[in-house]
Amino acid sequence: TKAYDGKPLLRDFSYTLKRGERMGIIGPNGAGKTTLLEIIAGRVTPDSGEVVIGETVALGYYDQESRALNDELRVIDYIKEVAEWVTTAEGDKITASQILTKFLFPPEMQFTPIARLSGGERRRLYLLRVLMSTPNVLILDEVTNDLDIATLMVLEEYLESFAGCLLVVSHDRYFLDRVVDKVFRFEGNGVLREYPGNYSAFLEIREREAEQKAAVIAETKAAKSAAAAPEPTAAKRKLSYKETRELEELEARIAEAEARKVTLEQQLHDNASDYVLIQKLDGELRDLSVKLEGDMERWAELAELV
């Protein structure tokens, strides 16, 4: 249990993370997502209860704050401070230089001082250092907000063969669809609810529950009407003409945006070596994702009214 200023973020939450689980954590801003990760990592103490860490657990935590890099070190030396090589799930050994190349640091960049890296390159290097620490429980906090599309594509490929547990906080439904197999959502008032499947499965469950709730309400009203004497009833809430038009426009816009997003992601994959084009496509995709998320939230509001 954890609360701040009287506001409960977690209330009597218990869970045992099992080998190989891949969990997405979602919810509104300020709901407690990062606080949960900080409690798991031992940086924040719960108000009550405890976190039990197995003896063989090795945590790797990509957070939003602790990113102090030694500017005097070269890129490859910064990585070698953690490990000279890593072993893949298939048993293959990959050297620090090879994995740097895989994460878009070609050999000619590996002896560059960290002080000369851009902000995006520093974030990518910080992520790689976390991965090189060979965790068997990997925690990623809003990684999709920090990294460019090219890096995210490499990360997704890496996570496909990652054999450990994965905990991801993200608002990016497409990233979550690819890397998690269950979702925990902060429902408010300290409640954290589990949904099986990826983010798309979560949306389907929520839509189905909204339909069931609407059906129960309708049946209850019908039963009351049949049992009671006829009397004037209040008008039911319906979408206005403007809201109906908005819902139709949202559905068309969402479909178009999702199709465009698939096209952009394919173009990024096909032109990975063209840095200028990658930057242009990445910018368009980020803008598109922000607009799509807003349209999805508004669509959900209107659909729940229906």
Side-chain angles (χ1 to χ4, degrees):
T1 294
K2 185 66 178 179
Y4 283 113
D5 299 326
K7 176 187 176 182
L9 299 181
L10 290 167
R11 189 191 300 273
D12 298 327
F13 175 68
S14 296
Y15 189 78
T16 300
L17 188 65
K18 295 173 280 296
R19 181 187 300 271
E21 284 194 283
R22 306 166 76 86
M23 178 192 304
I25 303 170
I26 63 175
N29 291 334
K33 302 184 294 295
T34 296
T35 297
L36 174 61
L37 299 187
E38 296 280 293
I39 289 174
I40 294 171
R43 299 179 181 181
V44 171
T45 303
D47 297 336
S48 63
E50 62 178 340
V51 178
V52 179
I53 305 292
E55 292 183 2
T56 60
V57 168
L59 287 175
Y61 187 9
Y62 180 93
D63 63 13
Q64 299 185 59
E65 302 297 338
S66 303
R67 298 181 186 169
L69 279 63
N70 186 344
D71 287 345
E72 297 179 359
L73 286 178
R74 298 177 302 179
V75 168
I76 193 165
D77 295 330
Y78 178 74
I79 294 301
K80 283 186 174 181
E81 277 189 337
V82 180
E84 296 275 348
W85 48 267
V86 293
T87 304
T88 68
E90 294 77 23
D92 300 324
K93 288 188 176 181
I94 302 178
T95 66
S97 179
Q98 288 173 326
I99 198 166
L100 275 167
T101 301
K102 182 180 179 69
F103 274 80
L104 310 178
F105 289 101
E108 59 269 21
M109 283 190 64
Q110 294 176 13
F111 293 90
T112 300
I114 291 176
R116 294 174 56 186
L117 298 182
S118 68
E121 289 167 343
R122 293 170 74 93
R123 290 190 292 271
R124 190 191 320 145
L125 187 63
Y126 170 73
L127 169 67
L128 186 52
R129 183 177 171 111
V130 173
L131 300 180
M132 284 293 288
S133 66
T134 61
N136 53 24
V137 176
L138 179 59
I139 303 174
L140 304 176
D141 189 8
E142 297 289 7
V143 67
T144 53
N145 289 355
D146 275 353
L147 305 176
D148 56 43
I149 298 300
T151 304
L152 285 175
M153 291 170 66
V154 176
L155 176 60
E156 288 172 10
E157 182 180 347
Y158 175 88
L159 293 177
E160 285 180 1
S161 60
F162 179 67
C165 296
L166 181 64
L167 285 77
V168 183
V169 167
S170 177
H171 291 91
D172 189 327
R173 62 172 292 187
Y174 299 96
F175 183 75
L176 291 175
D177 274 348
R178 291 186 177 97
V179 303
V180 307
D181 53 27
K182 69 175 56 180
V183 169
F184 277 83
R185 182 177 187 272
F186 281 82
E187 305 279 302
N189 199 33
V191 176
L192 192 57
R193 178 184 170 187
E194 178 182 355
Y195 294 84
N198 59 18
Y199 192 87
S200 291
F202 154 75
L203 289 178
E204 291 175 2
I205 293 171
R206 296 282 290 186
E207 184 176 355
R208 186 165 61 248
E209 289 180 347
E211 292 173 351
Q212 292 171 347
K213 181 179 179 181
V216 169
I217 292 173
E219 290 174 1
T220 302
K221 286 184 176 180
K224 288 182 178 179
S225 297
E231 59 183 34
T233 58
K236 291 187 293 184
R237 170 70 166 96
K238 294 183 178 180
L239 292 185
S240 66
Y241 173 77
K242 183 178 179 181
E243 289 172 331
T244 301
R245 287 292 303 275
E246 182 184 4
L247 184 61
E248 293 172 351
E249 291 172 0
L250 281 169
E251 290 174 345
R253 200 157 66 227
I254 289 169
E256 181 180 344
E258 289 181 333
R260 178 58 179 160
K261 189 160 189 175
V262 171
T263 300
L264 286 171
E265 289 174 343
Q266 185 61 48
Q267 290 177 341
L268 283 165
H269 183 272
D270 295 341
N271 298 278
S273 61
D274 189 336
Y275 181 76
V276 175
L277 181 58
I278 283 287
Q279 292 295 101
K280 179 181 178 182
L281 294 172
D282 181 26
E284 182 181 350
L285 188 54
R286 284 179 178 270
D287 291 342
L288 183 68
S289 297
V290 171
K291 292 177 183 176
L292 183 58
E293 182 176 349
D295 284 346
M296 289 292 295
E297 290 180 357
R298 178 56 178 161
W299 177 89
E301 292 174 3
L302 294 175
E304 189 168 352
L305 289 177
V306 175

